[in-house]
Every structure is written in C-alpha cells, then in structure tokens.
Amino acid sequence: MHAQVGESCRNCGAALVGHYCHACGQSSHIHRTLGAWWHDFSHGVLHIEGQVWRTIAFLFTRPGELTRRYIAGERRRFLSPLALYLFGVFLLYIAYSIFGGFGSINAPDAQEAATEIHAEAVKTQGQIAALDRQRSSILADKGDVAAVDRERARLAERYRQLELTSTALGGATKATASGHGEQESPVMTGWKSLDEKLAHAIRDPEFLLFKMEANGYKFSWALILLSMPFMGLVFLWKRGVAMFDHAVFVTYSLSFVSLLLAMMILWTKLAHLPGEALLLLAFPVHLFFQTRGAYGLGWLSGLVMTIILCVMAQVVLLLWVIGLLALGIAH
C-alpha cells in the first residue's frame, strides 16, 4: 500500500514528498503480505545492502584495509565491527550447539577416581614410612639425614595433595551422630563456602564445563574490554592512534576468530576433513596483515608487533577463561 502525496510518514509523521520520507528514510510503501515479509527477511539476512558480504570479504582478504577505512569514516559501506562480531559469535554458537566442539571431555566417575587417588595416597604413605625407617638407620650410624628429610617433605606434600583431592571427590566420609556417613568438606582455602563450591566443582566437572560454555557465550564481549588496555599499552608509541581505533581493530579481529572457529567446526565435524591445525595458522597470518595495514607498519615492524599481539591474545584468553571458571564455581 502506497501513501498518497501529502500524507504523513507512518513512522515519524513528516509530510511525504516522494516514495521515501526525507526525515527518517522510511518507504511510503507499507505492505502486509507474507511474501513481502519473506522479502524483508531474506533482504535483511542475506543482503543488508551488501554490507555483510562486502565486510566479510574484506575481513578475510584485506583486514588491514577494512580496519583503516572504517576508522577513516567509511561507516555506511561496511558493517560495524560490533555488528559483525555479534554475527560471528551467533554463527559460532549455532555451529557449536549443533556439531559440538573439536573434542569431548569425558570426566571419570568421581567415586572411582577418588578410590584410585586414595590408593596412590596409601602407596605414598608407605614410601614415607620406608623413609622414616631409613632415617632411623642413618641416625643410628650418625650419618647425614638432610637428603632423606627433603625427600620425606616432598612425599608428605604429595600425600597431603592426594588426600585433599580424594576428599574433594567424595572419597572421605565421617560418621555423624546418627550413624550415617556424611561427606567431609575438604579444607582447601579455609573459607568454608568457597571450599564447598570448589569441592562441588571437582565432583561434577561436566556441569562446571557446561556453565563455563554458557557464560562464555554470554560474556564473549568481555574479550574486547580485556584487550583494550593491552592494545593501548602496546601501541603507546604510535602517534595519532585513539582508543576507538584499537576497539575497531580488536572487534574486527575477534570477528575473524569467531568465523574461523565456526569454519573449523564445520571442517572437522561436518566435512570430516583433517587440518584444523593448518586453519589455526590463519590467525597469526591474518593478524599480521591486519596489524600492518591498520597501523601503517612495515614488514619487520608488523612482524614484531604481530608476535607481541599473539602473546597478548594468549594472556587475554587466559584471563577470560579464569573469569569464566570463577563464575562457574561461584554460581
């Protein structure tokens, strides 16, 4: 249904002088058919005026130019970094949900593991007893027992750690006043509530992994925030570079990583093809060309900065995983 000349825009109320509102840009053609809805859907997902496909093409072939041109002001021609990042994370989530990751973690039965660890602790206790007898013999001969004492201290610490782990897995029980066995809460930090959460996480690692995966999707944006201070520090020497530039760089780079991981899942799970390690090499290569193009660096300086950024990426990823682990244990 087309609006008549002189009518008002259905969106903002401005007077229409053509087929599009001069104030907000909405079309005067208002449709209410299923076919038109499907056209809007396909246009929005697959076209978006070419922004998605153009941006992805540049992201994979000319990442440095894409970053530089977006920073320079070509905002209409390319999809924004954040929108592309959310698009990549969504595709990665779908691929991971359907096909799974690159490997599976099968946690052993907690009670069985506790029994095996306790058996190892008993064995260690026997070694400690043998050292005690050896120490007594050395003392009787008025010899030096320093080496024996050091070995005994090492075994004693090993025994303590084994028993602690066995207890956390449910291997230690104590009798209650009613005569029933009650699981003893291991003392790990001295903070009772934290010790209980840690023990629960050790007894049920699969549930902890599930919570980390769920939080990883929800808090993936934290990777951008964690990277920003490092980027500012690494490029402190580069004049004329604003924090906004680093944000664009990081977000486009993480968008590439999300799309690359989604491709790797399809490569290994759907196509059943080897070579995921070769695909992982695409990240440092991509990072090199993006860094060199975005910041206008030479080949040597670009290579040095790429190595530094690869180390930075590992630190950021480690901090992010530690945060997810803390969230998983806390809740």
Side-chain angles (χ1 to χ4, degrees):
M1 178 177 63
H2 285 279
Q4 300 297 323
V5 177
E7 290 188 0
S8 299
C9 173
R10 304 290 180 87
N11 182 60
C12 68
L16 293 174
V17 293
H19 294 302
Y20 293 90
C21 176
H22 69 280
C24 67
Q26 176 170 291
S27 173
S28 62
H29 176 61
I30 307 299
H31 54 72
R32 293 180 62 184
T33 64
L34 189 59
W37 177 87
W38 176 252
H39 174 269
D40 286 348
F41 175 80
S42 59
H43 184 276
V45 174
L46 302 177
H47 186 52
I48 314 183
E49 299 180 359
Q51 283 183 325
V52 170
W53 307 120
R54 184 187 302 114
T55 308
I56 291 177
F58 269 76
L59 182 67
F60 275 80
T61 60
R62 290 176 284 179
E65 182 181 345
L66 168 66
T67 306
R68 187 177 65 252
R69 290 173 64 174
Y70 187 87
I71 292 173
E74 293 187 43
R75 311 295 167 79
R76 179 67 177 173
R77 183 175 178 79
F78 300 108
L79 193 64
S80 72
L82 188 57
L84 183 62
Y85 177 65
L86 294 176
F87 176 73
V89 170
F90 175 73
L91 289 183
L92 176 60
Y93 176 76
I94 294 298
Y96 185 86
S97 299
I98 296 176
F99 301 106
F102 310 109
S104 57
I105 299 178
N106 295 318
D109 179 74
Q111 191 61 44
E112 180 182 349
T115 302
E116 293 178 358
I117 293 174
H118 181 69
E120 186 66 24
V122 171
K123 180 181 176 181
T124 303
Q125 193 175 32
Q127 294 173 341
I128 293 174
L131 282 177
D132 288 340
R133 291 191 295 270
Q134 181 182 351
R135 187 178 189 277
S136 298
S137 299
I138 295 175
L139 286 176
D141 296 336
K142 298 182 179 180
D144 187 9
V145 295
V148 175
D149 288 342
R150 286 195 298 269
E151 179 64 14
R152 189 189 189 285
R154 186 187 69 81
L155 289 176
E157 177 61 21
R158 172 177 169 78
Y159 173 77
R160 189 186 73 83
Q161 293 292 339
L162 288 171
E163 281 295 283
L164 182 65
T165 305
S166 175
T167 302
L169 290 172
T173 58
K174 64 181 180 180
T176 61
S178 58
H180 299 289
E182 179 184 296
Q183 187 170 299
E184 183 180 1
S185 179
V187 179
M188 301 180 189
T189 65
W191 186 356
K192 184 177 180 181
S193 60
L194 179 59
D195 288 342
E196 291 175 353
K197 292 179 183 296
L198 290 172
H200 183 270
I202 295 174
R203 285 194 297 269
D204 195 359
E206 290 184 345
F207 183 58
L208 175 62
L209 179 62
F210 170 77
K211 290 191 292 184
M212 290 181 64
E213 290 175 348
N215 288 329
Y217 176 68
K218 290 187 294 184
F219 295 100
S220 60
W221 51 266
L223 286 168
I224 301 174
L225 299 182
L226 288 172
S227 302
M228 297 302 298
F230 289 97
M231 291 296 296
L233 183 63
V234 167
F235 286 97
L236 191 62
W237 57 273
K238 187 71 173 176
R239 291 187 176 183
V241 178
M243 194 59 71
F244 173 83
D245 304 348
H246 298 319
V248 172
F249 179 92
V250 168
T251 311
Y252 271 142
S253 181
L254 289 174
S255 300
F256 172 79
V257 172
S258 299
L259 295 173
L260 179 65
L261 290 176
M263 289 173 55
M264 288 178 62
I265 290 176
L266 297 178
W267 182 271
T268 57
K269 297 295 185 177
L270 186 60
H272 301 289
L273 296 172
E276 55 267 26
L278 185 61
L279 285 174
L280 278 176
L281 289 176
F283 171 68
V285 173
H286 180 273
L287 187 62
F288 168 75
F289 285 103
Q290 186 184 10
T291 304
R292 185 170 178 266
Y295 293 101
L297 305 178
W299 284 92
L300 181 59
S301 57
L303 180 60
V304 172
M305 295 307 299
T306 299
I307 295 174
I308 295 175
L309 290 181
C310 284
V311 176
M312 183 205 79
Q314 295 181 44
V315 173
V316 169
L317 182 62
L318 178 61
L319 293 175
W320 184 68
V321 171
I322 291 175
L324 295 182
L325 181 62
L327 282 174
I329 292 176
H331 298 86

